[in-house]
Amino acid sequence: MANKTKTVAEIVRTIPDGSHIAMGGFAIARNAIVVVHELIRQQKTNLTLSQGVAGLDVDLLVGAGLVSHLIIGGGSLDRFGPNNCVNRARETGSVVSHDYTSLSICFRYLAGALGLSFMPIKSLLASEVLERLETGTAAEDLRRMKCPFTGEEYLLLRSLTPDVSFVHVQVADREGNCQINGPRWENEEQAKAAKRLIVITEELVPTEYIQRSPERTVIPAHRVEAVIHQPFGAHPTAVYGCYDYDADHLKLYVDHSRNPERFKEYIGTYVLGSGDHWEYLEKVGGLAYLEDLRAERLLGY
Amino acid sequence: MTAEIHATEIMAAAGARELRDNEVVVVGLGLPQVAAVLAKRTHAPGLTTLLEIGVMNMNPKDTPVGLADSRIFYHATTWSGFLDVMGMNLHRGIVDVGFLGALELDRFGNINTTLLKEKSQKVRYVNGSAGGNDVASLAKRVIVIMRHEKRKLPAAVAHLTSPGFVNGRSRSELGLRGGGTHRVITNMAILGFDPETHSAALLSVHPGVSVEEVVENTGFALRIPKQLPLTQLPSKEELRLLREEIDPKHIYLGS
């Protein structure tokens, strides 16, 4: 059996500048923060990011200046606040943002995952969301067509096939069989649309554990290039069944992200000031602090 | 229990009453969640509640801070994803009600959740669509819960994120399958839409609110019927559920 475990630094070194990276988080849930921090440490540039509902992962990468294009359905940090860095980048025009919807992003990934070049959809029509896309640089990714069978008008979405997708999961074996606990938003479509798929797991388990409940395997090993093992790898976002979001740290983040100078301080202290994710975890409070975030078995948070 | 009833409690109860037993509803962030849970625990035990993230029939024990909060995954009957909830349910056409919030809403029920324009024309971006446009396009009827302020109810939204009856046109003319905006529940009143003109009409005002106040705080002309009913107040049991079980920390209901 292949052992595909790699360090995050090794993997990030293989990501060229200008890549299209799909991030598997949703708002403040299961964000691959360990990868985000390493992308910032290695100072990647000119990235295109795609995601259904953008969260802290995308906000950090945009704020740190790594991103030139966004393809997203929307996003926020739930009640902790908006994605201030993303919104600021839109306002200043430092990032070209193609703003879709949750379902249209999912359908674009689904087309990619099915090996189709496009997917018809019945939302977006008659909206300014579509008008903006059709009159901007996204026009190349959209067409309108009448159904050859019924005559109904459809919007056609070009498939999305990211260069690499990073999905954060609760459990994986060394070969890459992944089990996701809780809802999965567009994880499966995104992961299977990507040319390369890297998973980050909270826990490494023997394959025999996977074999006990194979119906829970959302991403099978043969699709996975590498497995990064990092407990608390999504901190301060939540991983269902493992730990809750860190409300205090998210508040601290939003407090910094409101202002570009303060955001730089945040990056300096927590990301560039930490050699790796273990150092970051020490910096945010260490084992005793993180223990308080650990999920209660019956609640999952 | 205090005698004073908060406007958000009236909104939550009014929202709950718009839902019928055995319907399928896609629920958005905030008060819609609260209203759907209230409906399910009162007159609509057979309600199926869906969250875009991929959760069905959530039964939260602790109040969640949003749709990505594990608290809202608690005791659900299904965990899946966008493709299931937004694709094979919403896009499939079986969702009766889409329950949304709005930053701005105009006279034709068009919704903005993307950006605001300041007086200087400077644009301030906010969250964007997420599932909002999909729900507004595809649900059989859409219910919006929002604060009643003149700037939030303009003649035309600053950005048409999610379509109602765009330019007063019918949904079939717009090429949309869903029925469009059906009710707008605010802290002052309940609005509906004229079946012919598709423009907003006042359906009821909350007790203690005058028609003049509603008109003053609305940025577009409202059709006002001669006999205007008062919005029904939440019952004692509804208030108890809201205050003690559904949102005891007043995260959504205010204090």
Side-chain angles (χ1 to χ4, degrees):
Chain A
M1 191 191 82
N3 179 358
K4 298 180 187 169
T5 54
K6 292 265 169 67
T7 67
V8 66
E10 277 178 283
I11 289 297
V12 169
R13 276 196 291 274
T14 70
I15 309 287
D17 289 339
S19 293
H20 171 182
I21 301 180
M23 299 302 302
F26 179 120
I28 52 167
R30 274 199 293 110
N31 288 203
I33 297 299
V34 55
V35 172
V36 166
H37 284 183
E38 189 58 27
L39 286 163
I40 295 170
R41 281 186 211 106
Q42 294 193 23
Q43 296 176 17
K44 301 291 172 181
T45 60
N46 196 27
L47 301 176
T48 293
L49 297 185
S50 66
Q51 190 172 45
V53 177
L56 181 68
D57 43 7
V58 168
D59 203 54
L60 275 164
L61 290 168
V62 169
L66 278 64
V67 181
S68 59
H69 289 80
L70 285 176
I71 304 168
I72 55 175
S76 75
L77 303 176
D78 273 349
R79 284 181 89 79
F80 294 101
N83 284 323
N84 287 320
C85 297
V86 170
N87 291 343
R88 202 159 42 236
R90 282 193 178 114
E91 283 156 19
T92 60
S94 65
V95 164
V96 175
S97 186
H98 293 177
D99 297 323
Y100 287 82
T101 66
S102 302
L103 185 62
S104 51
I105 292 286
C106 178
F107 273 20
R108 293 193 66 188
Y109 287 137
L110 176 65
L114 292 171
L116 298 172
S117 49
F118 69 91
M119 183 68 67
I121 193 166
K122 283 299 290 182
S123 60
L124 282 167
L125 295 161
S127 74
E128 215 172 322
V129 178
L130 180 57
E131 194 184 308
R132 283 191 167 209
L133 290 167
E134 284 185 328
T135 54
T137 51
E140 274 310 292
D141 298 325
L142 300 161
R143 292 289 184 275
R144 295 192 194 216
M145 194 184 86
K146 285 206 185 319
C147 168
F149 300 103
T150 65
E152 189 177 7
E153 192 190 341
Y154 281 97
L155 176 68
L156 307 185
L157 305 165
R158 190 194 285 260
S159 65
L160 263 186
T161 51
D163 295 315
V164 56
S165 167
F166 288 102
V167 181
H168 196 104
V169 304
Q170 285 89 350
V171 159
D173 67 12
R174 289 173 187 278
E175 209 173 352
N177 290 300
C178 296
Q179 298 190 332
I180 294 177
N181 193 3
R184 303 180 290 275
W185 40 100
E186 85 281 20
N187 281 159
E188 186 176 358
E189 295 75 26
Q190 181 195 84
K192 291 174 182 173
K195 292 166 193 148
R196 299 173 61 194
L197 170 57
I198 314 294
V199 299
I200 304 90
T201 186
E202 288 291 326
E203 191 180 349
L204 268 180
V205 295
T207 301
E208 199 185 330
Y209 180 84
I210 301 284
Q211 287 164 330
R212 283 188 195 172
S213 50
E215 75 283 358
R216 291 178 61 188
T217 305
V218 179
I219 299 167
H222 71 280
R223 308 299 299 271
V224 174
E225 177 187 311
V227 178
I228 296 166
H229 177 218
Q230 181 60 61
F232 285 98
H235 178 276
T237 70
V239 176
Y240 180 80
C242 295
Y243 47 91
D244 201 1
Y245 51 80
D246 183 342
D248 291 337
H249 194 86
L250 283 169
K251 282 178 200 154
L252 176 138
Y253 174 79
V254 171
D255 183 45
H256 283 80
S257 70
R258 284 198 193 99
N259 170 304
E261 288 308 311
R262 299 263 291 147
F263 179 80
K264 265 187 207 158
E265 281 171 33
Y266 179 92
I267 295 290
T269 306
Y270 291 100
V271 185
L272 301 177
S274 307
D276 62 18
H277 203 73
W278 293 112
E279 271 186 43
Y280 161 77
L281 293 174
E282 280 302 320
K283 199 158 274 178
V284 299
L287 188 58
Y289 178 82
L290 295 170
E291 186 60 28
D292 276 347
L293 299 175
R294 225 183 256 287
E296 255 187 58
R297 288 274 175 199
L298 289 177
L299 296 173
Y301 53 85
Chain B
M1 193 177 298
T2 57
E4 198 170 321
I5 299 173
H6 203 273
T8 47
E9 293 169 333
I10 301 176
M11 293 161 85
R17 289 191 194 117
E18 291 291 337
L19 304 173
R20 299 170 204 142
D21 199 12
N22 299 316
E23 286 194 317
V24 179
V25 52
V26 171
V27 185
L29 190 75
L31 274 181
Q33 279 169 34
V34 173
V37 174
L38 180 63
K40 201 164 173 166
R41 293 193 190 169
T42 52
H43 66 278
L47 196 69
T48 297
T49 50
L50 311 180
L51 300 177
E52 76 170 76
I53 193 168
V55 173
M56 298 188 186
N57 301 312
M58 65 285 190
N59 206 354
K61 189 176 162 190
D62 300 307
T63 313
V65 300
L67 290 185
D69 186 338
S70 309
R71 282 156 193 74
I72 208 163
F73 310 165
Y74 187 74
H75 276 205
T77 55
T78 300
W79 285 334
S80 57
F82 289 172
L83 184 60
D84 184 23
V85 171
M86 304 298 274
M88 291 186 274
N89 282 277
L90 180 70
H91 203 272
R92 177 73 177 81
I94 62 134
V95 169
D96 298 297
V97 178
F99 219 141
L100 302 172
L103 200 62
E104 285 185 332
L105 177 138
D106 68 21
R107 62 184 284 224
F108 294 124
N110 299 308
I111 298 165
N112 172 20
T113 54
T114 301
L115 57 85
L116 288 173
K117 280 187 187 142
E118 291 175 358
K119 281 196 183 123
S120 62
Q121 291 300 301
K122 188 173 161 41
V123 168
R124 285 256 167 250
Y125 280 87
V126 279
N127 298 352
S129 164
N133 172 287
D134 304 309
V135 169
S137 298
L138 291 155
K140 288 179 195 166
R141 54 186 208 279
V142 171
I143 300 169
V144 178
I145 290 198
M146 64 186 294
R147 283 195 65 77
H148 205 127
E149 292 171 34
K150 197 162 197 166
R151 61 182 184 92
K152 292 174 77 73
L153 296 163
V157 287
H159 181 276
L160 201 163
T161 311
S162 303
F165 306 97
V166 183
N167 298 322
R169 291 159 76 199
S170 74
R171 299 284 289 187
S172 60
E173 280 178 276
L174 296 168
L176 295 168
R177 287 179 177 174
T181 313
H182 177 69
R183 291 286 182 270
V184 182
I185 298 167
T186 75
N187 48 314
M188 294 186 171
I190 300 179
L191 313 182
F193 293 85
D194 185 280
E196 301 294 321
T197 65
H198 303 297
S199 52
L202 193 54
L203 297 185
S204 71
V205 289
H206 303 342
V209 178
S210 69
V211 175
E212 290 70 30
E213 272 178 275
V214 172
V215 169
E216 222 168 84
N217 287 287
T218 307
F220 48 80
L222 282 167
R223 202 185 56 144
I224 299 165
K226 284 195 185 98
Q227 291 291 320
L228 187 66
L230 288 179
T231 309
Q232 201 187 328
L233 288 176
S235 68
K236 270 189 184 161
E237 174 60 5
E238 284 171 326
L239 285 174
R240 190 194 66 77
L241 284 166
L242 288 171
R243 292 172 183 178
E244 292 175 21
E245 292 185 18
I246 300 172
D247 187 16
K249 287 184 193 158
H250 296 277
I251 292 176
Y252 297 107
L253 291 171
S255 46

